[in-house]
């Protein structure tokens, strides 16, 4: 059993483990609430991976810290009090510090990035791998102190350890001031990264679609709730509804059930035939079919049906969710709703670098090189297709960036097969039109600025909406509301400017 540590949350002493995230500890102490919105609404963590900024709190006097990305430490002081005066905080200003040089810089330490880093290092290149999480593995192989990594994950983790890869954790790219130069914000300060070639493995995030009540604490992304449970949040005996779209729903539901959750229902919105999808897997990805059958067996006794949420109900936290199958509606009592409508690629950095984007994915050649010479893109950036695609593209890019085309070519046919699975997923889990009518006039679309659907309906572009309402200009920089307004209104963000994540002004001055 992990050693217990003591910390203070909102002035009250608490004990937990060092493997527990601050977000999980705050939710345990405050009934799920981590902050208050700009209009005073209670909010809780949503994405579980540092994208939504709903979990930000003050830690040891430093405000606006993403608590889902921070592990508890002995003696830590955490404050989620909305009346906290940031001007009284002892804020540490990060300034320019060290400089690192790499033959190959890999951004993102999920399976794709790990594979790319390993191959480039095996070719004798100096490799720097950077990620904003404290451990390698990304969201698919996210570190879980309650269980050992899978055999597949352990193999790649060990392979990465065998090579002199310089791994920067809890670090995030904020700007690209010049060709071959990136700025990264780390816990110790600002680091300048210089590189000859770069491999982007930025991954994806969940797509959230707004519906009345979706901002209540207790509503998480499907993968977001799984990530929070892995970091110490208990779902034991909690009533959970899993809803949205995509194969992730089954995996999340099975995981939550293993951790003691009372999974009441899995609601999948797709109108496509899942039996036809399963039959297609026989020819395209037979291992995926075996995995799906295993998950369905683990979830025996739990209803898996075509339905989608239309309203979340509760005062200061979630109490129930109302769902529909298109012909009838009903209300399901629950303590948590895990809800995500597929994945969208994290395109901010490749867009900033000028890489060509089409249909929500970075365009690459047969070696995974983008339209910008010397910059490669892999994994979910080139199309959402799961771990097998991520690993094979990572190996191609790693070898190619290290000038080893023969080794890279060995994986091309496997990559083509993985690409067919991407198209199968896109076709099967396309979002139904009815989801566009979920929000009413009072439904919040931009969670950072509390901008409601009724206000946005008067505009014709994302740019106009930003100028008039600040939609997309909050802490998450449109990462949550951007995909939502694209689906609801057909709007796309016109530009990406540095910093691509919130940072201290001093960091930009030093760049």
């Amino acid at each position: 059993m992990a050693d217990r540590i003591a910390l203070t949350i909102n002035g009250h002493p608490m004990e937990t483990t060092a493997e527990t995230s601050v977000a999980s500890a705050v939710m345990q102490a405050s009934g799920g609430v981590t902050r208050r919105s700009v209009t005073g609404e209670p909010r809780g963590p949503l994405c579980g991976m540092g994208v939504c900024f709903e979990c930000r709190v003050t830690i040891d006097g430093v405000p606006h810290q993403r608590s889902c990305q921070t592990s508890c430490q002995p003696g830590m002081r955490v404050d989620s009090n909305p009346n906290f005066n940031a001007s009284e905080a002892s804020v540490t200003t990060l300034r320019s510090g060290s400089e690192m040089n790499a033959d190959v810089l890999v951004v993102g330490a999920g399976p794709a990035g790990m594979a790319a880093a390993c191959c480039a290092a095996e070719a004798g290149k100096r490799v720097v791998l950077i990620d904003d999480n404290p451990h390698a593995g990304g969201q698919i192989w996210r570190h879980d102190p309650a269980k050992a990594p899978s055999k597949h994950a352990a193999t790649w983790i060990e392979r990465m350890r065998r090579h002199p890869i310089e791994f920067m954790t809890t670090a995030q790219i904020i700007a690209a001031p010049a060709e071959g130069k990136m700025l990264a914000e780390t816990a110790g300060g600002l680091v300048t990264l210089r590189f000859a070639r770069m491999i982007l493995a930025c991954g994806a995030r969940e797509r959230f679609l707004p519906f009345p009540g979706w901002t209540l604490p207790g509503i998480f992304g499907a993968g977001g709730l799984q990530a929070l449970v892995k970091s110490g949040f208990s779902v034991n005996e909690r009533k959970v509804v899993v809803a949205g779209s995509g194969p992730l729903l089954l995996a999340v539901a099975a995981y939550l059930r293993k951790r003691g959750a009372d999974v009441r229902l899995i609601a999948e919105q797709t109108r496509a035939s899942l039996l036809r999808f399963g039959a297609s897997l026989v020819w395209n990805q037979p291992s995926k079919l075996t995995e799906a059958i295993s998950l369905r067996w683990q979830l025996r006794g739990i209803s898996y049906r075509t339905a989608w949420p239309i309203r979340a109900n509760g005062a200061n936290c979630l109490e129930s969710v109302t769902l529909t199958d298109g012909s009838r509606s009903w209300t399901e009592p629950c303590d948590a709703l895990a809800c995500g409508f597929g994945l969208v690629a994290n395109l901010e950095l490749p867009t900033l670098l000028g890489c060509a984007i089409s249909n929500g994915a970075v365009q690459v050649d047969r070696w995974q090189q983008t339209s910008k010479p010397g910059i490669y893109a892999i994994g979910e950036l080139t199309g959402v297709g799961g771990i097998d695609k991520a690993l094979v593209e990572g190996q191609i890019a790693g070898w190619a960036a290290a000038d080893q085309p023969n080794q890279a070519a060995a994986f091309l046919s496997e990559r083509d097969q993985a690409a067919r699975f991407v198209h199968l997923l896109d076709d099967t889990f396309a979002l139904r039109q009815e989801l566009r009518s979920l929000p009413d006039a009072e439904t919040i679309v931009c969670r950072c600025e509390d901008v409601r659907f009724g206000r946005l309906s008067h505009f014709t572009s994302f740019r106009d909406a930003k100028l008039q309402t600040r939609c997309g200009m909050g802490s998450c920089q449109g990462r949550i509301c951007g995909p939502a307004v694209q689906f609801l209104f057909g709007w796309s963000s016109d530009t990406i400017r540095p910093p691509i994540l919130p940072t201290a002004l001093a960091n930009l001055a030093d760049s």
Side-chain angles (χ1 to χ4, degrees):
M1 185 175 180
D3 293 337
R4 307 289 290 179
I5 63 172
L7 66 159
T8 302
I9 297 179
N10 295 330
H12 301 288
M14 178 182 178
E15 281 195 356
T16 185
T17 69
E19 294 284 0
T20 300
S21 69
V22 172
S24 297
V26 171
M27 284 194 291
Q28 181 179 332
S30 64
V33 179
T34 50
R35 74 178 192 96
R36 294 275 172 174
S37 73
V38 294
T39 59
E41 289 193 357
R43 295 287 173 79
L46 176 70
C47 74
M49 56 185 291
V51 172
C52 70
F53 286 79
E54 288 284 47
C55 69
R56 57 190 188 273
V57 298
T58 298
I59 300 177
D60 292 335
V62 182
H64 308 304
Q65 302 299 297
R66 290 178 291 174
S67 59
C68 75
Q69 297 293 90
T70 309
S71 297
C72 292
Q73 300 294 329
M76 179 180 278
R77 294 178 295 107
V78 180
D79 195 336
S80 61
N81 186 338
N83 296 318
F84 179 81
N85 186 350
S87 66
E88 298 174 357
S90 174
V91 179
T92 300
T93 302
L94 301 176
R95 297 191 178 279
S96 295
S98 60
E99 186 171 298
M100 297 184 70
N101 296 287
D103 298 319
V104 179
L105 172 65
V106 182
V107 182
M114 293 169 66
C118 287
C119 293
E122 287 170 10
K125 299 298 183 180
R126 182 178 181 182
V127 177
V128 173
L129 176 63
I130 181 172
D131 196 274
D132 60 357
N133 287 289
H135 304 278
Q139 302 309 309
I140 296 179
W141 286 340
R142 190 179 182 96
H143 176 71
D144 185 349
K147 57 178 289 189
S150 67
K151 184 177 180 181
H152 201 186
T155 298
W156 279 101
I157 292 171
E158 179 56 34
R159 185 172 173 180
M160 196 172 76
R161 287 172 177 165
R162 290 200 302 265
H163 302 288
I165 297 170
E166 297 180 73
F167 185 22
M168 297 174 59
T169 62
T170 58
Q172 57 190 24
I173 300 292
I174 60 170
E179 185 174 347
K181 178 182 177 182
M182 306 286 273
L183 296 181
E185 182 179 291
T186 73
L190 198 65
V191 175
T192 298
L193 301 169
R194 299 187 185 277
F195 57 91
R197 293 181 179 177
M198 178 166 57
I199 301 175
L200 301 175
C202 307
R205 58 185 181 271
E206 290 186 85
R207 178 192 285 113
F208 301 104
L209 300 182
F211 52 89
W214 78 296
T215 58
L216 282 170
I219 299 177
F220 310 87
L225 180 54
Q226 183 182 38
L228 289 163
V229 172
K230 288 182 177 181
S231 69
F233 181 58
S234 174
V235 290
N236 188 44
E237 298 185 353
R238 292 178 185 263
K239 298 187 291 292
V240 180
V241 171
V242 179
S245 194
L248 179 64
L249 300 186
L250 288 175
V252 168
Y255 179 83
L256 296 176
R257 192 181 209 187
K258 287 181 180 178
R259 299 298 289 266
D262 177 10
V263 180
R264 311 304 297 265
L265 169 71
I266 305 170
E268 165 60 63
Q269 65 82 41
T270 186
R271 62 173 71 251
S273 170
L274 293 177
L275 287 176
R276 191 178 303 118
F277 174 69
S280 299
L281 290 180
V282 173
W283 304 106
N284 291 286
Q285 295 279 338
S287 63
K288 301 287 187 185
L289 178 60
T290 302
E291 181 181 348
I293 292 173
S294 174
L295 287 172
R296 197 65 192 96
W297 173 251
Q298 295 173 48
L299 294 166
R300 59 192 182 280
I302 297 175
S303 176
Y304 178 54
R305 57 177 301 178
T306 301
W308 56 95
I310 57 175
R311 179 177 294 274
N313 312 296
N316 292 315
C317 63
L318 179 69
E319 297 173 7
S320 65
V321 58
T322 302
L323 304 107
T324 185
D325 58 11
S327 59
R328 75 177 188 92
S329 301
W330 73 100
T331 297
E332 189 75 39
C334 58
D335 304 305
L337 170 63
C339 184
F341 293 89
L343 302 175
V344 291
N346 294 321
L347 297 174
E348 291 76 18
L349 184 53
T351 301
L352 180 68
L353 294 169
C355 302
I357 310 289
S358 178
N359 296 320
V362 180
Q363 299 301 290
V364 295
D365 64 14
R366 71 194 304 252
W367 307 116
Q368 301 297 136
Q369 186 169 222
T370 71
S371 60
K372 303 292 288 185
I375 299 178
Y376 301 75
I378 55 178
E380 314 289 41
L381 288 182
T382 64
V384 175
I387 190 169
D388 293 336
K389 172 180 174 293
L391 288 170
V392 70
E393 289 186 351
Q395 291 172 91
I396 291 171
W399 289 118
D403 298 314
Q404 301 292 326
N406 291 336
Q407 286 88 335
F411 298 94
L412 294 179
S413 61
E414 190 177 346
R415 192 264 314 278
D416 293 341
Q417 183 180 21
R420 291 193 290 271
F421 182 59
V422 171
H423 297 306
L424 179 60
L425 285 176
D426 290 343
D427 291 343
T428 301
F429 297 103
L431 299 180
R432 60 172 62 234
Q433 295 300 310
E434 292 94 323
L435 299 176
R436 288 192 167 90
S437 63
L438 289 183
D440 59 24
E442 293 302 309
T443 301
I444 287 175
V445 176
C446 174
R447 298 170 66 112
C448 293
E449 299 294 330
D450 282 3
V451 183
R452 300 178 188 274
F453 181 81
R455 286 202 69 193
L456 294 176
S457 61
H458 299 295
F459 301 102
T460 58
S461 72
F462 203 0
R463 177 179 174 81
D464 287 343
K466 284 182 178 181
L467 291 174
Q468 300 296 324
T469 70
R470 287 190 53 81
C471 179
M473 296 180 67
S475 296
C476 85
Q477 291 290 283
R479 286 172 171 81
I480 301 301
C481 65
V485 298
Q486 184 174 33
F487 177 73
L488 294 171
F489 303 110
W491 300 344
S492 295
S493 181
D494 48 1
T495 58
I496 297 292
R497 299 183 179 91
I500 58 175
L501 285 167
T503 188
L505 287 176
N507 288 339
L508 299 180
D510 287 341
S511 64

